[in-house]
Coordinates of all heavy atoms in Angstrom, one line a residue:
E1 N 0.7 -13.1 -4.7 CA 0.5 -11.9 -5.4 C -0.8 -11.9 -6.3 O -1.6 -11.0 -6.4 CB 1.6 -11.5 -6.2 CG 2.9 -11.0 -5.4 CD 4.0 -10.6 -6.3 OE1 3.9 -10.6 -7.5 OE2 5.0 -10.3 -5.7
E2 N -0.9 -13.1 -7.1 CA -2.3 -13.2 -7.8 C -3.4 -13.3 -7.1 O -4.4 -12.7 -7.5 CB -2.0 -14.5 -8.6 CG -1.0 -14.5 -9.8 CD -0.8 -15.8 -10.6 OE1 -1.6 -16.7 -10.2 OE2 -0.1 -15.8 -11.6
L3 N -3.3 -14.0 -5.9 CA -4.5 -13.9 -5.0 C -4.8 -12.5 -4.4 O -6.0 -12.2 -4.5 CB -4.3 -14.9 -3.9 CG -5.4 -15.1 -2.8 CD1 -5.3 -16.4 -2.2 CD2 -5.3 -14.0 -1.7
I4 N -4.0 -11.8 -4.0 CA -4.1 -10.5 -3.6 C -4.7 -9.6 -4.8 O -5.7 -8.8 -4.5 CB -2.8 -9.8 -3.1 CG1 -2.3 -10.5 -1.9 CG2 -3.0 -8.4 -2.9 CD1 -0.8 -10.1 -1.5
G5 N -4.2 -9.7 -6.0 CA -4.7 -9.0 -7.1 C -6.1 -9.4 -7.4 O -6.9 -8.4 -7.7
Q6 N -6.4 -10.7 -7.4 CA -7.8 -11.0 -7.7 C -8.8 -10.5 -6.7 O -9.9 -10.0 -7.0 CB -7.9 -12.5 -7.7 CG -7.1 -13.2 -8.9 CD -7.0 -14.8 -8.6 OE1 -7.6 -15.3 -7.7 NE2 -6.2 -15.4 -9.5
V7 N -8.4 -10.5 -5.4 CA -9.3 -10.0 -4.4 C -9.5 -8.4 -4.5 O -10.6 -8.0 -4.4 CB -8.8 -10.3 -3.0 CG1 -9.6 -9.7 -1.9 CG2 -8.8 -11.8 -2.8
A8 N -8.4 -7.8 -4.9 CA -8.6 -6.3 -5.2 C -9.5 -5.9 -6.3 O -10.4 -5.1 -6.2 CB -7.1 -5.7 -5.4
V9 N -9.3 -6.7 -7.4 CA -10.2 -6.4 -8.6 C -11.7 -6.8 -8.1 O -12.6 -6.1 -8.4 CB -9.7 -7.4 -9.7 CG1 -10.8 -7.2 -10.8 CG2 -8.4 -6.8 -10.3
E10 N -11.9 -7.9 -7.5 CA -13.2 -8.2 -7.1 C -13.9 -7.2 -6.2 O -15.0 -7.0 -6.2 CB -13.2 -9.6 -6.4 CG -12.9 -10.8 -7.4 CD -12.6 -12.1 -6.6 OE1 -12.6 -12.1 -5.4 OE2 -12.2 -13.1 -7.3
G11 N -13.0 -6.7 -5.3 CA -13.5 -5.7 -4.4 C -13.4 -4.2 -4.9 O -13.8 -3.2 -4.2
R12 N -13.2 -4.1 -6.3 CA -13.1 -2.8 -6.8 C -12.2 -1.8 -6.2 O -12.5 -0.6 -6.1 CB -14.5 -2.2 -7.0 CG -15.5 -3.0 -7.9 CD -16.9 -2.5 -7.9 NE -17.8 -3.3 -8.6 CZ -17.9 -3.2 -10.0 NH1 -17.2 -2.3 -10.6 NH2 -18.9 -4.0 -10.6
R13 N -11.0 -2.3 -5.7 CA -10.0 -1.5 -5.2 C -8.8 -1.5 -5.9 O -8.3 -2.6 -6.4 CB -9.6 -2.0 -3.8 CG -10.9 -2.0 -2.8 CD -11.3 -0.6 -2.3 NE -10.4 0.0 -1.6 CZ -10.3 0.0 -0.3 NH1 -11.1 -0.8 0.5 NH2 -9.4 0.8 0.4
D14 N -8.3 -0.4 -6.2 CA -6.9 -0.3 -7.0 C -5.9 -0.6 -5.9 O -5.9 -0.1 -4.8 CB -6.7 1.0 -7.6 CG -7.6 1.4 -8.8 OD1 -7.9 0.4 -9.5 OD2 -7.9 2.5 -9.0
L15 N -4.9 -1.4 -6.4 CA -3.8 -1.9 -5.4 C -2.5 -1.8 -6.2 O -2.3 -2.2 -7.2 CB -4.2 -3.3 -5.0 CG -3.3 -4.0 -3.9 CD1 -4.1 -4.8 -3.0 CD2 -2.2 -4.9 -4.6
Q16 N -1.5 -1.2 -5.4 CA -0.1 -1.3 -5.9 C 0.8 -2.0 -4.9 O 0.7 -1.9 -3.8 CB 0.3 0.1 -5.8 CG -0.3 1.2 -6.8 CD 0.0 2.6 -6.5 OE1 0.0 3.1 -5.4 NE2 0.2 3.5 -7.5
L17 N 1.5 -2.9 -5.6 CA 2.6 -3.8 -4.8 C 3.8 -2.9 -4.5 O 4.5 -2.4 -5.4 CB 2.9 -5.0 -5.6 CG 1.8 -5.9 -5.9 CD1 2.3 -7.2 -6.7 CD2 1.1 -6.5 -4.7
L18 N 4.1 -2.6 -3.3 CA 5.2 -1.7 -2.9 C 6.4 -2.6 -2.6 O 7.6 -2.0 -3.0 CB 4.8 -0.9 -1.7 CG 3.6 0.0 -1.6 CD1 3.4 0.7 -0.4 CD2 3.5 0.9 -2.9
E19 N 6.4 -3.7 -1.8 CA 7.5 -4.4 -1.6 C 7.2 -5.8 -1.6 O 6.2 -6.3 -1.1 CB 8.1 -4.1 -0.3 CG 8.7 -2.6 -0.2 CD 9.8 -2.6 1.0 OE1 10.5 -3.5 1.2 OE2 9.6 -1.5 1.7
R20 N 8.1 -6.6 -2.1 CA 8.2 -8.1 -2.0 C 9.2 -8.5 -1.1 O 10.5 -8.3 -1.4 CB 8.3 -8.9 -3.4 CG 7.4 -8.5 -4.4 CD 7.7 -9.1 -5.7 NE 6.7 -8.9 -6.8 CZ 6.7 -7.8 -7.6 NH1 7.6 -7.0 -7.5 NH2 5.7 -7.8 -8.5
R21 N 9.0 -9.1 0.0 CA 10.0 -9.4 1.0 C 9.9 -10.9 1.5 O 8.8 -11.6 1.3 CB 9.7 -8.5 2.3 CG 9.7 -7.1 1.9 CD 9.7 -6.1 3.2 NE 10.8 -6.6 4.1 CZ 12.1 -6.0 4.0 NH1 12.4 -5.1 3.0 NH2 13.0 -6.3 4.8
G22 N 11.1 -11.3 2.1 CA 11.1 -12.6 2.7 C 11.5 -12.6 4.2 O 11.3 -11.5 4.7
P23 N 12.1 -13.6 4.7 CA 12.5 -13.6 6.1 C 13.8 -12.8 6.2 O 14.4 -12.4 5.3 CB 12.8 -15.1 6.5 CG 13.1 -15.7 5.0 CD 12.4 -15.0 4.0
S24 N 14.1 -12.5 7.6 CA 15.3 -11.9 7.8 C 16.5 -12.7 7.4 O 16.4 -13.9 7.3 CB 15.4 -11.6 9.4 OG 15.1 -12.7 10.2
A25 N 17.7 -12.2 7.3 CA 18.9 -12.8 6.7 C 19.3 -14.0 7.4 O 20.2 -14.7 6.9 CB 19.9 -11.7 6.4
D26 N 19.1 -14.2 8.7 CA 19.5 -15.2 9.5 C 18.6 -16.5 9.1 O 18.8 -17.5 9.7 CB 19.5 -15.0 10.9 CG 18.2 -14.4 11.5 OD1 17.5 -13.8 10.6 OD2 18.0 -14.6 12.7
H27 N 17.7 -16.3 8.1 CA 16.9 -17.5 7.6 C 17.1 -17.4 6.1 O 16.2 -17.2 5.2 CB 15.4 -17.2 7.8 CG 15.0 -17.2 9.3 ND1 15.4 -16.2 10.1 CD2 14.1 -18.0 9.9 CE1 14.9 -16.4 11.3 NE2 14.1 -17.6 11.3
P28 N 18.4 -17.8 5.7 CA 18.7 -17.7 4.2 C 18.0 -18.9 3.4 O 17.4 -19.7 4.0 CB 20.3 -17.9 4.3 CG 20.4 -18.7 5.5 CD 19.5 -18.3 6.5
V29 N 18.0 -18.7 2.1 CA 17.5 -19.7 1.2 C 18.7 -20.4 0.4 O 19.4 -19.7 -0.1 CB 16.5 -19.1 0.3 CG1 16.0 -20.1 -0.8 CG2 15.3 -18.5 1.0
A30 N 18.8 -21.7 0.7 CA 19.7 -22.4 -0.1 C 19.3 -22.6 -1.6 O 18.2 -23.0 -1.9 CB 20.0 -23.8 0.4

């Protein structure tokens, strides 16, 4: 997220984070 934000600022583009997602549920995290 920090990398995306930095690139957006450097490129003079406003950016909104809509969703933070991971893998499908058959790939759980212990």
